[in-house]
Amino acid sequence: DQFTTPPPNSVTGTSFAGRIFLVDKDNGDVKYSDVGFFGQFRATNSFNAYSDVVALVNSGDRLFVIGETSTEVLYSSANGIALLEQDIENGSAWGRSFVPVGDGAIFGLWKRGFGYFDGVTHKFVNAPYFIQKEYMDNVDFTHSAIVAGDWYLLSIRRLATSKSTHNNIILMYHMKTDGWYIVEDSLNDIHFWNEEILGAGSGLHILFRGSTYPVSRIKTAGFTPSSVSQQFTISDVKILMEPSSNSTYDITIGGEERRNIDVGQGISHPVKNAMGVKINAILEPHWNHAAEDWDEGQEWLAPGDFWSNPQLDKPVTGFHHIIDVSFPSGFPVKVKGFAATFSNPQRGTKQKGKP
């Protein structure tokens, strides 16, 4: 065939509908191969995007052509590649942040923020101020993005440290709970394989091993709300948590005397009780909450945070207290803080034990 040409010079491409799609570095057009012949291109196999293309994302029966100020959706028809939808108001500067999330939809960082797009409707997600201000507005380079189950992961390099050639942050977004997390890591490319998240830097590293969580234990060194010359009684303890698992944990509260201890249990994710009835957990305020205008300083809380209130046998009196919590293996645990109710302050003198 005398009308065929070799592939164009390109750094952005993907496969779709039995063809290879490449963004031509010389003129910015999207060039695509003949069906089944990945190295066979021709002048007629070309699509002129509305704006400079930053990403090509295959999502089932459609191909998203994401430009700096626009997004267009292509599909494969009986007559070849055709335009399905065109949005000239929403684009992106971070092409490598986009991933397919199901048949016919994508997710990534648009100029208006992180969000979904199905070719017709944009649905943007809430991002706390520390994501928006520190990690979205100051992004220098996005290297790699993946979806692993319900998690979206994006490795980026911040402007403040762009003198480094490596990425330094991995953003994690949980699509079901709308929660954001920040992992400091210098890995560049990340990939989800065999229930594990792999990262490539100077070598190959495993970032996450599925559900193989070990036993988690948090033990305070001892604390008191006032002077150690007073005895206080702990009558109630709450644990501020994110709803990450549904498991029973053990808690022990002790004073300075070994015999003065209390034990109890709690549920780390009170979504439903044993009968399947939804429990109304005490939710904490969070950034951009729709119902209330919370005071400043609450932004570190995330939607869905709750106080887990374990059932204790008895109050514990002492000059200082130790809280020891053990979570079972096999479950993710995210604890943010403790709250204790102190009562009945009494002045006293510590008794030294006999040798």
Side-chain angles (χ1 to χ4, degrees):
D1 190 336
Q2 60 179 337
F3 297 105
T4 60
T5 62
N9 185 20
S10 175
V11 294
T12 302
T14 189
S15 61
F16 171 70
R19 304 172 187 261
I20 291 294
F21 286 74
L22 299 172
V23 180
D24 194 330
K25 289 187 63 176
D26 295 331
N27 58 25
D29 288 347
V30 178
K31 302 293 180 63
Y32 50 92
S33 69
D34 290 340
V35 177
F37 296 92
F38 292 161
Q40 187 170 294
F41 290 73
R42 59 185 70 239
T44 54
N45 291 355
S46 180
F47 174 74
N48 184 17
Y50 184 86
S51 62
D52 292 340
V53 179
V54 298
L56 300 173
V57 183
N58 178 351
S59 184
D61 63 349
R62 60 196 67 183
L63 176 68
F64 290 82
V65 181
I66 304 170
E68 292 183 347
T69 62
S70 63
T71 303
E72 288 144 306
V73 184
L74 306 181
Y75 74 104
S76 181
S77 69
N79 297 322
I81 300 300
L83 179 65
L84 179 64
E85 299 285 349
Q86 185 180 52
D87 177 2
I88 61 173
E89 297 181 354
N90 293 280
S92 174
W94 306 280
R96 296 187 182 185
S97 70
F98 289 92
V99 293
V101 288
D103 193 19
I106 59 175
F107 180 87
L109 178 54
W110 308 88
K111 288 194 172 179
R112 292 174 55 188
F114 283 96
Y116 301 89
F117 183 51
D118 61 3
V120 178
T121 305
H122 282 271
K123 180 182 177 183
F124 293 94
V125 301
N126 291 328
Y129 84 102
F130 57 85
I131 298 292
Q132 174 73 42
K133 181 179 179 181
E134 299 296 334
Y135 299 96
M136 286 171 56
D137 296 344
N138 294 324
V139 170
D140 177 44
F141 183 74
T142 59
H143 188 93
S144 179
I146 62 169
V147 171
D150 297 327
W151 290 94
Y152 167 81
L153 294 92
L154 172 66
S155 60
I156 64 175
R157 184 170 71 242
R158 295 182 59 200
L159 283 174
T161 54
S162 60
K163 60 183 179 180
S164 171
T165 59
H166 297 285
N167 290 359
N168 49 39
I169 293 293
I170 296 178
L171 294 182
M172 297 180 63
Y173 171 65
H174 195 262
M175 296 181 174
K176 286 190 175 180
T177 62
D178 214 28
W180 287 92
Y181 307 87
I182 299 171
V183 178
E184 295 185 0
D185 207 308
S186 60
L187 299 179
N188 291 322
D189 193 33
I190 51 179
H191 185 71
F192 183 56
W193 175 78
N194 196 27
E195 299 301 320
E196 294 181 337
I197 298 175
L198 307 180
S202 57
L204 189 62
H205 306 270
I206 298 175
L207 301 181
F208 180 69
R209 286 185 175 275
S211 59
T212 57
Y213 298 92
V215 173
S216 300
R217 185 183 181 191
I218 299 176
K219 183 178 181 180
T220 66
F223 60 91
T224 177
S226 183
S227 170
V228 293
S229 64
Q230 287 185 314
Q231 283 187 323
F232 288 86
T233 299
I234 286 187
S235 57
D236 186 55
V237 171
K238 294 183 177 67
I239 304 175
L240 181 60
M241 304 187 67
E242 295 181 9
S244 55
S245 61
N246 193 339
S247 59
T248 301
Y249 60 85
D250 298 317
I251 181 171
T252 300
I253 300 175
E256 64 278 354
E257 297 182 8
R258 292 185 178 182
R259 68 176 184 272
N260 189 16
I261 63 172
D262 183 21
V263 295
Q265 288 187 329
I267 305 297
S268 64
H269 188 188
V271 176
K272 295 181 180 180
N273 62 17
M275 302 299 294
V277 179
K278 186 176 181 181
I279 297 175
N280 293 322
I282 303 174
L283 300 182
E284 283 295 296
H286 58 270
W287 179 84
N288 205 24
H289 194 282
E292 300 288 345
D293 183 18
W294 302 102
D295 294 335
E296 293 184 3
Q298 300 288 352
E299 292 87 349
W300 64 282
L301 297 168
D305 285 358
F306 66 93
W307 286 106
S308 176
N309 195 182
Q311 299 298 313
L312 302 173
D313 293 334
K314 62 180 181 179
V316 177
T317 301
F319 292 96
H320 71 272
H321 292 83
I322 295 173
I323 297 178
D324 190 349
V325 186
S326 296
F327 297 89
S329 61
F331 298 91
V333 176
K334 300 180 177 69
V335 175
K336 289 190 172 182
F338 289 94
T341 300
F342 291 90
S343 59
N344 300 326
Q346 300 177 4
R347 290 191 176 275
T349 304
K350 289 186 177 182
Q351 301 295 324
K352 296 183 178 180
K354 295 182 179 180

